[in-house]
């Protein structure tokens, strides 16, 4: 179970230097934080020279603190005309500052005007203080800051990246020994790219030994300010120190990808690839985007709260926060999707659920901007009507028009996107370094080195997967005309949901019918939706005469789900090769499996496409580009399309 996040306490020494009362140590030298960052970490890692001419360069830092090292690195990147195309800065932090304290410490300590502008930008984008991985983008996506709010002992082994430079900047070993253990350095060795460099303010003997034991070569050099010495060096192991190599970019002749499907999953993939300069060909069997489940008039989005902070909760939390950032970016680019005002209310099924969820929210220490329990009276005030029970409020949850989101994502791709509609994809074939996509008439319709299959129910068939247990869930929505029910103050959900749309229509739903292919509207489906909503919202009881329910408007769509209700996101495994080598792979881990070169999946999102699609697309784009993954490796493995093959191998049922 995830530990609650405890923020840092802002304090200053008499000389104005910020320090941590918890560790009784300063965040930077009294001589100057910016100067220390420049001398120790940039100069110590031979930057900016080493990133020049590179497409992607990745810095990994242990201990984000105030973010001074990141800000200084960002400023150096901006000032360098030969800078790398994309700079990734990944940092762990067990006790992050609150946004207010971050602004305060910047105002008190940063005098450089150029750095102050960057600090203001960072503080404005500072994430909610909830555990996990947070990805922020600056400079149009060319600077990516990945913050991992967790204990470094747990978070560093969970990272998946190839580091080019290490900033080892935890509090002093004597003050915070947990940041300098052999296990920490072993984790760093797993992530080091070829000739990765490091620098650290410290020069303690234990650190030298840990570096040497894990394949790093160090050199003692003059320290910064009053410090006599510090350490710099590089990764040069004389023996094998890791089982798996860090991720590398996919080798392709051309940065061109085919995306099959233009629902939430496919359009998010288009946007994320195009943002990196990829040319994308989209293939869609319908005449326009978002025609299947993504074509519903609105969908609700919110995090998932569970008593044990389950895998589904963690993935949904990461996806929800990342999606909010991407949607805000679309708005800044002039492509705003249609969505309602912020705020979504979840109603407890009974008093016991209300009590247990309130206890879980308190135990995890979630900030009120993420989720907050609300009493029955407060919930009724927010909803604008009587309710059956209390619940909890997601201040940044709400509803969005999925089709408008898909359109916005495609619009940002501009000329990099070639749209092709009315294409019914039948199969894929690889020849040389390219994939060829064939339609149902046997015609080759597109060729590219990379294919992303984002076509929901058809994905497993198109990709030729045998180990992808997906099923179809029929969902019928009900649309209530204006004036049918009292106006809701915000979306309300629980055993059903009710959403007040901008035109006065109220959307309710949705039924959940397994393997039912009937696409026609049913009277009983409308009545079922209204009955469930009425259990949460008593004013909805009896609002529609059952005899007239058949005349209500609505929509039927089909959700694609897996047997474990988690999505399928990432590089497909080579099932044929795995079958041939089944005996050896019986005890395999995900990184042991052979993978299909250039073939990825993004499907089986069920009813959580709005919160999973953007993060899933970012994960796939990061895998293709060899960039740091946007979420922890164990979570990526829980949504890996190969997980069902892996289970079959372990159970010796592969044939």
């Amino acid at each position: 179970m995830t530990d609650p996040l405890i923020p840092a306490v802002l304090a200053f020494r008499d000389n104005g230097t910020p320090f941590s009362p918890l560790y009784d140590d300063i965040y930077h030298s009294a001589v100057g934080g910016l100067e220390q960052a420049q001398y120790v970490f940039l100069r110590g890692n031979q930057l900016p020279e080493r990133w020049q001419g590179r497409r992607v360069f990745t810095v990994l830092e242990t201990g984000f603190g105030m973010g001074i090292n990141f800000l200084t690195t960002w400023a150096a990147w901006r000032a360098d005309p030969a800078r790398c195309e994309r700079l990734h800065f990944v940092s762990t932090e067990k006790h992050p500052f609150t946004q207010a304290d971050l602004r305060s410490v910047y105002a008190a300590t940063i005098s450089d005007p150029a750095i102050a502008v960057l600090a203001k930008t960072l503080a404005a984008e500072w994430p909610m203080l909830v555990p996990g991985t947070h990805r922020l983008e600056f400079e149009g996506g060319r600077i990516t800051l990945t913050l991992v709010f967790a204990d470094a002992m747990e978070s560093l082994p969970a990272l998946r990246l190839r580091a080019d430079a290490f900033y080892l900047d935890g509090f002093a070993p004597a003050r915070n020994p947990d940041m300098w253990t052999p296990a920490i350095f072993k984790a760093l060795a797993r992530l080091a790219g070829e000739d990765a460099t490091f620098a650290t303010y410290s020069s303690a003997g234990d650190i030298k030994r840990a570096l040497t034991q894990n394949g790093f070569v160090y050199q003692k050099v003059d320290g910064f300010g009053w410090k006599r010495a510090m350490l710099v060096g590089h990764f040069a192991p004389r023996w094998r120190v890791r089982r798996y190599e860090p991720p590398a970019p996919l080798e392709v002749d051309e940065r061109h990808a085919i995306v099959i499907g233009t629902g939430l999953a496919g359009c998010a993939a288009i946007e994320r690839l195009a943002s990196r300069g990829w040319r994308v060909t989209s293939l869609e069997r319908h005449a326009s985007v978002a025609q299947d489940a993504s074509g519903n008039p609105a969908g609700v989005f919110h995090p998932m709260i569970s008593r044990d902070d389950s895998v589904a909760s963690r993935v949904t939390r990461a996806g929800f926060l990342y999606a909010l950032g991407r949607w805000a970016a679309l708005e800044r680019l002039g492509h705003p999707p249609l969505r309602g005002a912020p705020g979504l209310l979840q109603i407890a099924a009974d008093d016991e659920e209300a009590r247990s969820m309130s206890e879980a929210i308190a135990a995890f220490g979630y900030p009120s901007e993420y989720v907050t329990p609300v009493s029955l009276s407060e919930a009724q005030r927010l909803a604008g009507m009587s309710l059956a029970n209390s619940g909890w409020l997601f201040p940044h949850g709400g509803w969005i028009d999925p089709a408008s989101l898909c359109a916005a994502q495609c619009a940002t791709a501009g000329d990099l996107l070639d749209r092709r509609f009315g294409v019914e994809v039948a199969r894929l074939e690889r020849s040389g370094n390219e994939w060829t996509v064939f339609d149902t008439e046997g015609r080759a319709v597109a060729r590219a080195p990379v294919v992303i299959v984002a076509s929901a129910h058809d994905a497993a068939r198109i990709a030729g997967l045998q180990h992808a247990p997906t099923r179809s869930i029929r969902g019928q929505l009900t649309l209530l005309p204006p004036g049918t029910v009292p106006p809701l103050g915000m979306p309300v959900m629980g055993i059903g949901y009710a959403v007040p749309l901008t035109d006065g229509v109220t959307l309710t739903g949705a039924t959940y019918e397994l393997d039912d292919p009937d696409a026609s509207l049913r009277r009983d489906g409308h009545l079922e939706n209204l009955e469930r909503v009425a259990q949460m919202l008593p004013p909805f009881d009896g609002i529609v005469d059952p005899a007239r329910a058949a005349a209500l408007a609505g929509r039927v769509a089909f959700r694609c789900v897996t047997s474990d209700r988690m999505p399928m996101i990432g590089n497909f495994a080579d099932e044929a090769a795995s079958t041939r080598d089944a005996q050896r792979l019986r005890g395999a881990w995900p990184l042991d499996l052979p993978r299909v070169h250039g073939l990825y999946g993004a499907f089986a999102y069920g009813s959580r496409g709005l919160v999973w699609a953007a993060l899933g697309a970012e994960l796939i784009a990061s895998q293709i580009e060899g960039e740091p993954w946007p979420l922890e490796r164990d979570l990526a493995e829980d949504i890996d399309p190969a997980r069902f093959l892996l289970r079959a191998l372990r159970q010796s049922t592969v044939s």
Side-chain angles (χ1 to χ4, degrees), residues 45-130:
N45 281 285
Q46 302 157 49
L47 300 176
E49 294 82 6
R50 290 185 55 247
W51 68 40
Q52 293 176 348
R54 298 274 296 272
R55 169 161 171 73
V56 176
F57 192 89
T58 300
V59 176
L60 175 59
E61 177 187 52
T62 57
F64 189 76
M66 294 169 49
I68 292 297
N69 296 335
F70 168 67
L71 295 172
T72 305
T73 304
W74 183 2
W77 180 89
R78 294 188 92 190
D80 182 10
R83 58 184 175 253
C84 54
E85 186 174 330
R86 293 176 67 87
L87 175 65
H88 278 269
F89 196 102
V90 182
S91 187
T92 64
E93 181 54 61
K94 186 177 181 180
H95 301 292
F97 281 110
T98 64
Q99 185 180 54
D101 282 349
L102 198 67
R103 286 187 166 125
S104 296
V105 75
Y106 287 159
T109 60
I110 296 179
S111 57
D112 184 308
I115 300 291
V117 169
L118 301 183
K120 183 178 180 180
T121 302
L122 172 60
E125 297 296 318
W126 193 241
M128 298 182 201
L129 297 194
V130 295

Side-chain angles (χ1 to χ4, degrees), residues 445-458:
V445 294
R447 292 184 176 88
V450 170
V451 173
I452 299 173
V453 187
S455 49
H457 306 281
D458 293 329

Side-chain angles (χ1 to χ4, degrees), residues 530-543:
L530 295 175
E531 287 169 3
R532 281 206 311 272
V533 171
Q535 292 180 48
M536 304 184 300
L537 306 171
F540 276 63
D541 188 25
I543 57 171

Side-chain angles (χ1 to χ4, degrees), residues 107-188:
T109 60
I110 296 179
S111 57
D112 184 308
I115 300 291
V117 169
L118 301 183
K120 183 178 180 180
T121 302
L122 172 60
E125 297 296 318
W126 193 241
M128 298 182 201
L129 297 194
V130 295
T133 300
H134 305 260
R135 177 158 284 188
L136 310 180
E137 296 183 5
F138 306 98
E139 306 286 352
R142 296 182 67 189
I143 293 277
T144 300
L145 171 62
T146 303
L147 289 166
V148 188
F149 290 162
D151 190 323
M153 286 287 290
E154 300 172 359
S155 60
L156 287 174
L159 296 178
R160 184 76 175 134
L161 58 83
R162 178 180 295 265
D164 299 297
F166 293 100
Y167 293 4
L168 307 182
D169 195 28
F171 289 119
R175 306 289 187 182
N176 186 17
D178 289 346
M179 286 291 285
W180 305 93
T181 64
I184 292 288
F185 287 95
K186 184 177 181 180
L188 299 178

Side-chain angles (χ1 to χ4, degrees), residues 55-56 248-250 255 276 278 620-627:
R55 169 161 171 73
V56 176
L250 189 71
R255 300 177 74 230
R276 290 165 165 84
W278 279 68
I620 290 173
S622 299
Q623 291 175 341
I624 292 172
E625 292 279 74
E627 298 175 355

Side-chain angles (χ1 to χ4, degrees), residues 344-394:
L344 180 143
L345 190 61
Q346 184 163 358
I347 303 302
D350 50 40
D351 291 342
E352 172 58 29
E353 184 182 31
R355 181 168 52 255
S356 63
M357 293 306 294
S358 294
E359 291 171 354
I361 291 169
F364 291 127
Y366 293 136
S368 59
E369 63 177 329
Y370 181 68
V371 62
T372 184
V374 290
S375 65
L376 177 58
S377 61
E378 176 63 9
Q380 290 180 151
R381 186 190 68 79
L382 292 168
M385 65 176 63
S386 63
L387 300 171
N389 214 323
S390 61
W392 44 100
L393 170 69
F394 297 108

